[in-house]
Amino acid sequence: MAVREIRLFGDPVLRAVCAPIEVIDEGIRALVTDLVDTVELPGRAGVAAPQIGVGLRAFSYNIDGDIGYVLNPVLAEVRGEPQPVGEGCLSVPGLWHDALRHPWARVTGIDLDGDEIVLEGDGLLAQALQHETDHLDGMLYLSRLSPENRKRAMREVRESAWF
């Protein structure tokens, strides 16, 4: 379908908890196509539905050339103590800060046929799974920053040309 415009910090859709997908119809199929098209651009590890203005529980990912999607994802398990990991977000362009993330994560969900999907791993995949499921719960990575880093990040947002 199309690469969709990314919604930026301050857009209310980014703060809302997303609704589960109840019926897989042509609209959901088009959403998945748009999510995949949008995440395929260089430098993108994941795109959640609210980032393209849709308040439904779905995201796409692009980790080391492995591109896919998950509908109704649930962060089913994390392992290890949260560690500060350099992180950015398409909805907060130009900022890069250490967010606390578990080193391993598992997400379960379904595909367009209603079959179960399980994604699990460490490194960038674990970080992306946590980051994208946060989006579906109305949370941006800025909330995962230490208080002093969050204060600095918010100042950077206010001073950015896009805000």
Side-chain angles (χ1 to χ4, degrees):
M1 289 284 204
V3 172
R4 302 268 298 267
E5 182 179 343
I6 300 295
R7 301 292 180 97
L8 299 179
F9 178 88
D11 189 315
V13 72
L14 297 173
R15 289 289 187 195
V17 175
C18 293
I21 294 170
E22 303 287 342
V23 177
I24 298 173
D25 57 15
E26 289 310 308
I28 297 302
R29 291 180 191 288
L31 171 62
V32 167
T33 299
D34 289 353
L35 283 168
V36 169
D37 287 351
T38 304
V39 82
E40 285 181 321
L41 295 178
R44 295 184 173 185
V47 174
Q51 290 183 282
I52 61 171
V54 179
L56 293 173
R57 298 191 76 79
F59 70 77
S60 58
Y61 59 89
N62 183 353
I63 306 296
D64 299 325
D66 182 21
I67 298 171
Y69 69 92
V70 183
L71 305 179
N72 292 334
V74 173
L75 185 61
E77 184 180 359
V78 293
R79 292 184 193 157
E81 288 299 314
Q83 303 169 359
V85 179
E87 191 163 319
C89 180
L90 298 171
S91 294
V92 191
L95 272 68
W96 191 262
H97 292 279
D98 285 344
L100 289 176
R101 296 291 182 192
H102 296 274
W104 187 91
R106 175 187 297 131
V107 162
T108 60
I110 60 171
D111 65 14
L112 287 170
D113 296 321
D115 296 328
E116 183 180 43
I117 292 176
V118 177
L119 294 171
E120 61 184 29
D122 57 10
L124 182 58
L125 177 59
Q127 184 180 3
L129 295 175
Q130 293 168 80
H131 181 106
E132 301 310 327
T133 54
D134 274 354
H135 272 301
L136 304 180
D137 293 328
M139 180 185 291
L140 293 171
Y141 90 103
L142 300 174
S143 299
R144 300 274 182 196
L145 303 180
S146 68
E148 66 186 39
N149 285 341
R150 187 169 196 281
K151 185 176 181 180
R152 183 172 55 247
M154 294 308 296
R155 183 173 45 254
E156 291 172 2
V157 166
R158 287 188 300 275
E159 293 171 354
S160 66
W162 56 264
F163 184 64

